[in-house]
Amino acid sequence: MKYYIGLDNGGTTTKAAIFDNTGRQLGCCSVATAALTPRPEFVERDMEEMWDANCQVVRGVLEQTGIAAQEVAGIGVCGHGKGLYLWGKDDRPARNGIISTDNRAYRYVERWKADGTEEKAFERSCQHLMNCQPVALLAWLKEHEPENYKNIKYVFECKDYIRFRLTGSARAEITDYSGAHFMNLKTGEYDPELLRLFGIEEMEGALPPLCRADEIAGYVTREAADRCGLKEGTPVVGGFFDINACAVASGVIYPDLICMIAGTWSINEYIRKEAVVDGRVQMNSLFALPQYYLIEESSATSAGNNEWFISQLLPEVKKEAKAAGKSVYEIVNEWVSEISPQTFVPVFLPFLMASNVHPNAKASFVGLNVSHTRKHMARSVYEGIAFCHRYHLEKLLATMEQEPRAIRLSGGAAKSAVWAQMFADVMKLPIETVEAEEAGALGCAIAAASATGAYASMEDAISHMTVVGRTIAPNQELADIYDRKYAVYKKTLTCLDGLWDEMQKLVELGEQA
């Protein structure tokens, strides 16, 4: 029997899971992602610690399952998109990595939107600018850390850095780099004119050669094998931007399915044979299946907000649940179930890490009164995150050429029956959950199985290794109340829009104190 390891480097957790060729998960090992926040709006990772974490979880899952290194036929790596991981000319990390929830470069994006740079770039990249994209972060580094900028040998995305450490081969996988404003989506190649527009033309030589998700991009080196417990020479595939990996694991290979991922980021996407080039959606990128584009609406506004709510506002509940052998998530699900959808709960804006409406928008509970408890606030967190997904979904629906038959949901919300039902009710579409505990890692395993010859193609591997779970129909009786709540959510966004810049000035004043 041959097995496949998927490595998933997320914004909050680093995981390794191992699968057989039916997609059955045999084990998983994870460690918390150690995020550094040296200043407000800055979110970074120590790149050596990050590599150590990947080695740790690979060793852990092999030990946990008892699977021998020589039985691992292939490895795939996925990770968060955007952000920036730089390898220096001195053959070590050039600085800390920058995570996709970082917001330091927002002024560059504001300027490029105002002076027409974004419009010119869109003609080639087919995507709007985001504060956390590598081009904006590189422009910030060029101005604020010129010595680090001059030392750059390779510009990596998250998972491409880990693959480089595994193989010693610098490659740039297209699902990530086509969403980073480096590539012309019409040619499928790097575009020097894009770098010139952003004032970072010096980086052209630092962009690694492109590769596909299911292409063998290198082999595990002796050094990496010793660190990770792997066999030297094990194939490592290109891997994915994690939202592609989850789409693949969810079987989203048809244009009438929507993939929704409720993780750190609110990911909402579908595939299409032509890019949407009229500016109505945030992102077009190249999908893992080469005949398709991935049409994406996303922001760092999803279940990561619930993690903060539990950690910061329910610490004793979390501690008591652990002592009782229960999951704190089960307790919160019970709380949310106790509050009916018709009950007024505060409007929660899930903008703890970023926003999809204004670059400086902050998270908020609006409408709290003395009768509200933490149970009401828990429901408001669930609702606010669902409404933020709907805000993105409506933009996608306006560009779809056919009615969607369902949403394939993964991430934190998919593991909660009450939250998954809320998603169905708020979106007014059937929700199909996926039988995959670690969808991102499974997507990587599928690519590895395809690349190493276990299956004839990625589509063939998907058909054998993915399983759709339960289907949740929307409750039509709740359509009106959720529509009314969503309308209040959107009006709250409008009413507060003029506040955020003034609030940001206070944030910056505090930094200078």
Side-chain angles (χ1 to χ4, degrees):
M1 176 69 77
K2 295 294 184 182
Y3 303 98
Y4 307 93
I5 290 178
L7 272 168
D8 186 350
N9 284 261
T12 57
T13 312
T14 302
K15 304 172 187 174
I18 193 162
F19 303 85
D20 65 17
N21 62 6
T22 70
R24 183 167 62 103
Q25 183 174 308
L26 304 171
C28 179
C29 184
S30 66
V31 297
T33 296
L36 308 172
T37 53
R39 291 171 55 186
E41 314 291 346
F42 288 37
V43 191
E44 301 183 349
R45 278 201 80 176
D46 181 306
M47 289 173 62
E48 285 296 341
E49 182 278 334
M50 181 179 175
W51 169 232
D52 287 342
N54 279 266
C55 295
Q56 179 183 337
V57 295
V58 172
R59 278 191 173 278
V61 78
L62 290 173
E63 292 171 4
Q64 178 192 118
T65 59
I67 291 170
Q70 58 267 28
E71 295 180 284
V72 177
I75 301 168
V77 189
C78 70
H80 72 76
K82 319 302 185 289
L84 191 63
Y85 295 82
L86 301 172
W87 191 253
K89 294 173 182 175
D90 54 356
D91 286 322
R92 54 185 296 177
R95 68 177 316 282
N96 283 340
I98 300 176
I99 298 179
S100 58
T101 50
D102 190 279
N103 199 40
R104 75 186 69 193
Y106 78 92
R107 291 193 186 279
Y108 295 83
V109 173
E110 285 183 342
R111 185 176 75 233
W112 291 334
K113 288 177 183 287
D115 68 11
T117 298
E118 182 187 61
E119 185 177 355
K120 292 175 184 175
F122 189 92
E123 295 174 5
R124 297 168 180 269
S125 67
C126 302
Q127 56 202 233
H128 295 294
L129 281 161
M130 300 175 71
N131 302 341
C132 58
Q133 281 181 311
V135 290
L137 295 169
L138 284 166
W140 185 93
L141 286 170
K142 184 176 180 178
E143 180 176 351
H144 294 89
E145 298 181 9
E147 292 307 312
N148 286 336
Y149 185 83
K150 290 174 185 175
N151 186 39
I152 296 170
K153 182 177 182 180
Y154 295 126
V155 174
F156 286 128
E157 290 283 63
C158 172
K159 62 93 174 52
D160 300 273
Y161 162 65
I162 295 301
R163 184 180 359 86
F164 172 68
R165 295 301 296 264
L166 282 167
T167 66
S169 176
R171 303 294 297 274
E173 186 275 322
I174 62 169
T175 65
D176 251 324
Y177 284 71
S178 64
H181 255 109
F182 291 136
M183 292 175 63
N184 186 320
L185 260 64
K186 298 169 185 175
T187 66
E189 301 292 340
Y190 289 133
D191 192 332
E193 178 60 17
L194 286 170
L195 301 181
R196 189 195 65 77
L197 283 169
F198 300 123
I200 55 171
E201 54 269 27
E202 306 88 358
M203 289 297 105
E204 182 178 0
L207 297 176
L210 293 165
C211 67
R212 299 190 319 275
D214 62 345
E215 174 184 343
I216 295 175
Y219 299 86
V220 173
T221 64
R222 178 179 294 277
E223 179 187 359
D226 290 343
R227 291 281 298 275
C228 298
L230 294 164
K231 180 185 175 185
E232 181 183 2
T234 303
V236 184
V237 298
F240 306 87
F241 177 9
D242 59 7
I243 69 173
N244 278 255
C246 289
V248 166
S250 301
V252 178
I253 56 174
Y254 305 103
D256 63 347
L257 286 171
I258 292 169
C259 179
M260 224 174 242
I261 307 165
T264 302
W265 277 64
S266 165
I267 304 295
N268 312 273
E269 58 193 11
Y270 74 100
I271 60 174
R272 175 179 159 131
K273 290 197 171 178
E274 295 179 350
V276 178
V277 295
D278 60 7
R280 285 184 292 167
V281 294
Q282 185 179 58
M283 294 283 293
N284 296 274
S285 59
L286 300 178
F287 188 51
L289 303 179
Q291 67 269 37
Y292 288 111
Y293 291 91
L294 186 69
I295 315 303
E296 176 196 347
E297 274 285 322
S298 63
S299 55
T301 56
S302 194
N305 287 266
N306 191 47
E307 295 295 321
W308 173 89
F309 176 74
I310 290 171
S311 295
Q312 299 300 319
L313 300 186
L314 310 178
E316 85 288 359
V317 177
K318 187 176 182 180
K319 184 177 180 180
E320 291 165 5
K322 185 177 180 180
K326 292 187 67 175
S327 165
V328 68
Y329 302 105
E330 293 175 14
I331 293 171
V332 175
N333 286 333
E334 291 168 4
W335 285 7
V336 173
S337 298
E338 291 174 21
I339 309 297
S340 75
Q342 290 83 1
T343 301
F344 171 74
V345 295
V347 174
F348 176 66
L349 304 184
F351 303 153
L352 283 164
M353 293 168 281
S355 166
N356 59 348
V357 292
H358 189 290
N360 293 325
K362 312 299 181 194
S364 312
F365 287 97
V366 180
L368 276 168
N369 64 49
V370 72
S371 71
H372 287 140
T373 67
R374 289 187 295 180
K375 293 181 180 181
H376 294 88
M377 295 175 74
R379 172 168 271 277
S380 73
V381 169
Y382 276 33
E383 287 185 0
I385 291 169
F387 292 149
C388 197
H389 276 271
R390 176 167 165 176
Y391 193 89
H392 284 302
L393 174 65
E394 289 181 342
K395 294 183 180 182
L396 295 182
L397 293 175
T399 68
M400 294 186 75
E401 296 176 329
Q402 58 198 111
E403 289 291 319
R405 59 184 162 98
I407 294 170
R408 295 272 171 91
L409 180 66
S410 60
K415 298 174 183 177
S416 160
V418 64
W419 209 356
Q421 181 66 60
M422 184 186 292
F423 265 66
D425 298 341
V426 169
M427 310 309 157
K428 296 191 279 191
L429 283 169
I431 293 290
E432 296 176 349
T433 59
V434 182
E435 293 292 321
E437 291 179 47
E438 301 298 340
L442 174 58
C444 295
I446 288 169
S450 171
T452 56
Y455 295 104
S457 65
M458 187 104 82
E459 292 94 331
D460 188 26
I462 290 167
S463 71
H464 285 87
M465 296 177 72
T466 62
V467 179
V468 177
R470 68 190 189 280
T471 298
I472 302 162
N475 185 342
Q476 301 300 331
E477 293 180 1
L478 296 177
D480 178 64
I481 186 62
Y482 277 124
D483 280 348
R484 292 172 67 184
K485 284 188 168 186
Y486 178 61
V488 171
Y489 172 87
K490 289 197 296 182
K491 190 165 186 178
T492 303
L493 297 176
T494 301
C495 290
L496 293 178
D497 190 65
L499 173 68
W500 305 126
D501 285 337
E502 292 302 311
M503 193 172 284
Q504 182 63 24
K505 289 176 183 177
L506 291 177
V507 171
E508 292 170 359
L509 186 64
E511 290 177 17
Q512 296 165 11

